[in-house]
Amino acid sequence: MGAEICEKLMCQTIDIEVPTEERSPASAVENREELFVPPLNFSMVDYGVFRSSFPGTANFSFLQTLGLRSIIYLCPESYPEANLEFLNATGVQLYQFGIESCKEPFVSIPEDSIRGALKLVLDEKNHPLLIHCKRGKHRTGCLVGCLRKLQGWCLTSIFDEYQRFAADKARVSDQRFIELFDTSGLE
Amino acid sequence: MGAEICEKLMCQTIDIEVPTEERSPASAVENREELFVPPLNFSMVDYGVFRSSFPGTANFSFLQTLGLRSIIYLCPESYPEANLEFLNATGVQLYQFGIESCKEPFVSIPEDSIRGALKLVLDEKNHPLLIHCKRGKHRTGCLVGCLRKLQGWCLTSIFDEYQRFAADKARVSDQRFIELFDTSGLE
């Protein structure tokens, strides 16, 4: 009896109040398709600006709800075919800045790429816009950090946000890059 | 010489290109006041919806940039005088839901409070709106998690977001509350 109650509770979110005889594989798929799957490390940065890790096919239906106009992709690897097809089908413009993934102490973030990407982020004609790299931690974190600097955030709050996404992978070199980033000419 | 270069770099973000003779305590304060201090754990949740830890006086000038219409406060403690004055001065409406802070295994989140708060969050007349408790981790995390459930997010992504803010203080009981929360009647 105890085991039955437990089992019922565990299933509660999957099929509440659906009598067993009415369930079919098709309706199960239907139910599953209704759930949106945002990419890991997804978040809203500001009005019309989002950030995330690399989106896969599972994330496409969620991304569609954002009504994206552009994507800023910060890795050198070419964009997967499935993702390109999704962009073509939904009319999303892709901007790629090929920033190499480097591990400390050999991190060298190209300031020109971040500056170029930031100009696109600041241009509302590109909104709604998604910024992503691979994990949404370092390259994305640097770009968002520089945006925050431009928005006049104090470094404490910029690093609080950076660390929330980078977690145990937070890099001093990224934070130093943000601290030294010169925002003049971008305001 | 090495020490001088180092010192110059360390000061770069504080007073670039300001000759020493022109610096005065007043201008230093001025410079500091230009920096916005978002509360810790601050983030945008969705269009017109923000979350954070408890905002203090240092955060008021930043909060003003959000143009808030209301604040949803999830603790039983009365709101500090300085914060009430800020709300009065800026015309922000305060909605308080006194959810007690409990430590596991004695966590009991009142579903009615979360449901009531969620109704306010869903009503665009209250936007832009800030949700906060003390640390912006548990009570705020539960409310945002229930909002995500209503938005059709899968639990993996809801928990990814919850854990980003709760970090090493993440509670299984909060996540179970979100999983079991019944969103019917709220859509």
Side-chain angles (χ1 to χ4, degrees):
Chain A
M1 185 59 190
E4 277 170 26
I5 291 170
C6 180
E7 191 182 39
K8 197 180 162 195
L9 281 174
M10 283 174 73
C11 294
Q12 198 160 339
T13 55
I14 301 171
D15 47 19
I16 292 169
E17 293 169 17
V18 180
T20 317
E21 55 274 23
E22 287 177 22
R23 282 163 51 202
S24 71
S27 75
V29 168
E30 241 174 64
N31 283 338
R32 231 183 303 141
E33 277 183 351
E34 278 171 20
L35 284 183
F36 292 117
V37 186
L40 291 182
N41 256 346
F42 171 81
S43 182
M44 193 161 191
V45 176
D46 209 323
Y47 286 94
V49 181
F50 303 90
R51 64 180 289 171
S52 77
S53 61
F54 206 110
T57 50
N59 310 123
F60 290 169
S61 63
F62 170 74
L63 291 185
Q64 249 181 310
T65 67
L66 304 178
L68 294 178
R69 199 172 284 169
S70 40
I71 283 182
I72 296 186
Y73 169 49
L74 300 172
C75 305
E77 293 84 6
S78 53
Y79 222 49
E81 199 54 47
N83 291 50
L84 286 173
E85 273 171 28
F86 170 71
L87 298 195
N88 282 336
T90 51
V92 179
Q93 176 70 47
L94 177 69
Y95 297 100
Q96 181 169 6
F97 294 85
I99 303 177
E100 294 287 344
S101 165
C102 309
K103 288 216 164 69
E104 281 185 316
F106 305 110
V107 177
S108 166
I109 303 137
E111 201 177 318
D112 286 354
S113 299
I114 295 292
R115 188 171 289 274
L118 201 45
K119 280 181 187 163
L120 292 173
V121 173
L122 294 171
D123 187 348
E124 286 188 20
K125 287 198 299 289
N126 299 317
H127 294 189
L129 166 158
L130 174 69
I131 302 162
H132 79 83
C133 50
K134 213 175 264 180
R135 299 190 184 278
K137 292 176 190 270
H138 304 115
R139 290 167 275 201
T140 298
C142 283
L143 179 53
V144 171
C146 292
L147 171 67
R148 296 311 192 190
K149 202 169 171 186
L150 201 61
Q151 293 178 323
W153 284 32
C154 66
L155 281 175
T156 306
S157 297
I158 295 175
F159 294 165
D160 176 58
E161 182 178 51
Y162 170 88
Q163 288 160 9
R164 201 174 310 127
F165 291 87
D168 60 337
K169 303 287 183 195
R171 290 176 183 164
V172 169
S173 50
D174 285 347
Q175 293 172 78
R176 196 175 54 233
F177 174 83
I178 296 167
E179 179 172 3
L180 297 178
F181 185 76
D182 179 10
T183 57
S184 59
L186 282 165
E187 280 89 353
Chain B
M1 183 60 189
E4 277 169 28
I5 291 171
C6 179
E7 193 184 37
K8 197 179 160 195
L9 280 174
M10 283 174 72
C11 293
Q12 198 159 340
T13 55
I14 301 170
D15 46 17
I16 291 170
E17 293 169 16
V18 180
T20 316
E21 57 273 22
E22 287 178 21
R23 282 162 53 201
S24 72
S27 75
V29 168
E30 241 175 66
N31 283 338
R32 230 184 303 142
E33 278 183 351
E34 277 170 20
L35 284 182
F36 292 118
V37 186
L40 290 182
N41 257 345
F42 171 82
S43 182
M44 194 160 190
V45 176
D46 209 322
Y47 286 93
V49 181
F50 303 90
R51 64 180 288 170
S52 77
S53 61
F54 206 110
T57 50
N59 311 123
F60 291 169
S61 62
F62 170 74
L63 291 185
Q64 248 180 311
T65 68
L66 304 178
L68 294 178
R69 198 172 287 169
S70 40
I71 283 182
I72 295 184
Y73 169 50
L74 301 173
C75 305
E77 293 83 7
S78 53
Y79 222 48
E81 200 53 48
N83 291 49
L84 286 173
E85 275 170 27
F86 170 72
L87 299 195
N88 282 336
T90 51
V92 179
Q93 176 69 48
L94 178 69
Y95 297 100
Q96 180 168 6
F97 294 84
I99 302 176
E100 294 288 344
S101 165
C102 309
K103 289 217 163 67
E104 281 186 316
F106 305 110
V107 177
S108 166
I109 303 138
E111 200 178 319
D112 285 355
S113 299
I114 295 291
R115 187 170 290 275
L118 201 45
K119 280 181 186 161
L120 292 173
V121 173
L122 293 171
D123 187 348
E124 288 187 19
K125 287 198 299 290
N126 299 319
H127 294 188
L129 165 158
L130 173 69
I131 302 162
H132 79 83
C133 50
K134 212 175 264 180
R135 300 191 184 275
K137 290 176 191 270
H138 304 115
R139 290 166 276 199
T140 299
C142 283
L143 178 53
V144 171
C146 292
L147 171 67
R148 296 313 191 189
K149 201 169 173 187
L150 201 60
Q151 293 179 322
W153 285 31
C154 66
L155 281 175
T156 306
S157 297
I158 295 175
F159 294 166
D160 176 58
E161 182 177 51
Y162 170 88
Q163 288 160 8
R164 201 174 309 127
F165 291 87
D168 60 336
K169 303 288 184 194
R171 290 176 182 163
V172 169
S173 50
D174 285 347
Q175 294 172 76
R176 196 176 55 233
F177 174 83
I178 296 167
E179 179 171 2
L180 297 178
F181 185 77
D182 180 8
T183 57
S184 59
L186 282 165
E187 281 89 351

